């Protein structure tokens, strides 16, 4: 009998042509950039992600939850039954409101907490407000990131270096520290590292260094928190189609060819990495901690 179920068709899809392949149009944006301005529009799983109760009743805070990988995780978490708070920059309100509506559409609690995580005071209050509004906290996803390329070390200013470290490393430290007041045994922390942690580009010295720091922090903290029953893992994406890249993360020529050097011949779409964030948050991966899970379209970086 012929199988006409659309789910079967999707399950048999060839990953090489599941999504758009380069070249892409030039599309410069000011950082942090908006997903809604990207061509093609990234797929965060809005139409495709199906939940099955894997995070039922859990409460998650996701930084950078307005767009890209964080948005894909937020949609997936809500569809898996979690209440979700997202942080983002005030300039990203339009992207964030789309995510809030998608979380609410699942009947889950959605909390919008805009603000700049390069300030310690804000990070501390962010965690407390998220936990108070959600009624607890048991999943923390440190995902917000700053990436601005610089062709030479001479052009990399102290201010830019500092901003990258504040956003990617210090904020993770401050937010995680504040979360310790709320996280209980069974909780999970998931950080977002990068293939840059292992194979740094010559134009991303500061960014790649922060991603290596995130991987080391993840492994050390996993050992420290195991006796408290809290797991800590990281995800290391390769090229994913998000506003981070088109708003100064890469030169525009590279954005136009983004993902072409991945063996699968294209960039990943945020929807394609959401399931890793779900698995690392879920009790299904209860023996997994201190790991950095890579998704890079076949390069095999780690
Ligand atoms: P994105 O632009 O959609 O998400 C990054 C988010 O970081 C922004 O939406 C913004 O809300 C947040 N952010 C930046 N500065 C902030 C600040 N000062 N205060 C509060 N929030 C701030 O892009 P993305 O690619 O989905 O990025 C998510 C994570 O994935 C980042 O950590 C990034 O380094 C990592 N990553 C991305 C790729 C890729 O190819 N896209 C590859 C490896 C790692
Ligand atoms: Mg954004």
């Amino acid at each position: 009998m012929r199988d006409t179920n659309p789910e079967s068709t999707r399950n048999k899809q060839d990953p090489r042509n599941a999504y758009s392949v380069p070249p892409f149009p030039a599309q410069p944006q000011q950082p942090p950039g908006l997903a809604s301005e990207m061509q093609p529009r990234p797929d965060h799983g809005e139409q495709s992600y199906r939940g099955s109760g894997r995070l039922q009743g859990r409460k998650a805070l996701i930084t950078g939850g307005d767009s890209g990988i964080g948005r894909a995780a937020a949609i997936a978490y809500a569809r898996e039954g979690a209440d979700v708070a997202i942080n983002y920059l005030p300039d990203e309100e339009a992207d964030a409101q789309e995510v809030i509506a998608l979380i609410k559409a699942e009947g889950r609690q959605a909390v919008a907490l805009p603000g700049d995580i390069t300030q310690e005071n804000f990070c501390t209050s962010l965690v407390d407000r998220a936990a108070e509004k959600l009624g607890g906290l048991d999943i923390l996803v440190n995902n917000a990131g700053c990436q601005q390329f610089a062709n030479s070390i001479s052009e990399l200013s102290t201010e830019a270096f500092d901003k990258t470290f504040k956003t990617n490393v210090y904020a993770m430290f401050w937010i995680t520290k504040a979360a310790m007041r709320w996280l209980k045994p069974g909780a999970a922390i998931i950080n977002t590292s990068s293939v840059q942690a292992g194979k740094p580009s010559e134009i991303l010295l500061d960014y790649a260094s922060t991603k290596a720091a995130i991987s080391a922090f993840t492994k050390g903290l996993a050992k420290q928190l195991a006796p408290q029953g809290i797991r800590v893992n990281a995800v290391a994406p390769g090229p994913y189609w998000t506003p981070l890249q088109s708003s100064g993360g890469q030169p525009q020529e590279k954005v136009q060819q983004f993902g072409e050097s991945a063996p699968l011949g294209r960039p990943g779409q945020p929807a394609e990495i959401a399931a890793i964030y779900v698995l690392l948050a879920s009790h299904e991966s209860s023996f997994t901690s201190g790991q950095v899970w890579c998704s890079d379209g076949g390069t095999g970086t780690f």
Side-chain angles (χ1 to χ4, degrees):
M1 204 175 82
R2 216 170 125 240
D3 182 357
T4 54
N5 187 326
E7 202 69 1
S8 307
T9 311
R10 194 163 76 96
N11 288 341
K12 289 176 193 159
Q13 202 166 354
D14 182 336
R16 294 171 299 178
N17 54 31
Y19 288 104
S20 303
V21 300
F24 301 110
Q27 45 193 297
Q29 292 195 56
Q30 288 302 310
L34 289 176
S36 59
E37 302 277 305
M38 292 185 72
Q39 304 168 38
R41 279 284 295 257
D43 180 5
H44 310 91
E46 288 89 341
Q47 311 299 328
S48 56
Y49 193 90
R50 301 272 180 85
S52 55
R54 295 162 77 191
L55 303 175
Q56 198 64 44
R58 303 196 71 190
K59 295 168 191 312
L61 168 62
I62 305 175
T63 64
D66 58 303
S67 58
I69 292 165
R71 180 197 285 220
I75 293 169
Y77 281 12
R79 292 191 183 162
E80 295 291 355
D83 294 324
V84 183
I86 59 168
N87 163 253
Y88 50 91
L89 285 163
D91 286 351
E92 300 173 300
E93 192 63 42
D95 272 358
Q97 284 307 323
E98 290 182 8
V99 180
I100 294 295
L102 287 160
I103 298 168
K104 286 186 177 160
E106 300 304 314
R108 304 313 310 183
Q109 208 188 338
V111 180
L113 296 168
D116 185 345
I117 59 170
T118 62
Q119 301 298 323
E120 181 170 7
N121 288 346
F122 175 77
C123 289
T124 307
S125 81
L126 167 68
V127 173
D128 289 345
R129 283 183 294 147
E132 279 157 15
K133 291 200 170 164
L134 294 172
L137 186 68
D138 38 32
I139 303 169
L140 170 62
V141 180
N142 285 305
N143 166 76
C146 170
Q147 176 186 335
Q148 292 288 299
F149 79 91
N151 285 319
S152 119
I153 190 168
S154 315
E155 290 169 21
L156 179 56
S157 69
T158 300
E159 290 72 25
F161 191 89
D162 196 48
K163 187 176 178 192
T164 308
F165 269 81
K166 284 271 160 52
T167 313
N168 299 2
V169 180
Y170 280 74
M172 171 186 67
F173 165 58
W174 292 325
I175 290 169
T176 305
K177 194 171 179 177
M180 293 316 300
R181 290 198 290 277
W182 298 94
L183 301 178
K184 300 207 163 57
I189 300 171
I190 301 150
N191 299 322
T192 303
S193 180
S194 168
V195 292
Q196 290 289 326
K199 294 264 163 56
S201 301
E202 63 271 37
I203 59 170
L204 293 172
L205 296 184
D206 53 341
Y207 176 81
S209 305
T210 66
K211 294 296 167 177
I214 292 168
S215 293
F217 182 90
T218 300
K219 292 181 185 196
L221 190 66
K223 289 181 187 150
Q224 187 182 119
L225 298 187
Q228 299 176 45
I230 298 171
R231 296 181 300 109
V232 189
N233 291 286
V235 180
Y240 270 83
W241 188 244
T242 73
L244 187 80
Q245 304 297 347
S246 49
S247 63
Q250 303 284 344
Q252 281 302 308
E253 328 69 271
K254 290 211 176 175
V255 171
Q256 289 175 264
Q257 301 305 329
F258 199 59
E260 76 172 347
S261 59
L264 285 173
R266 63 174 177 84
Q269 293 293 327
E272 298 182 276
I273 204 166
I276 299 181
Y277 285 80
V278 169
L279 181 58
L280 291 175
S282 149
H283 183 70
E284 292 161 304
S285 65
S286 49
F287 199 58
T288 300
S289 195
Q291 300 301 308
V292 181
W293 282 21
C294 185
S295 166
D296 64 5
T299 302
T301 311
F302 294 110

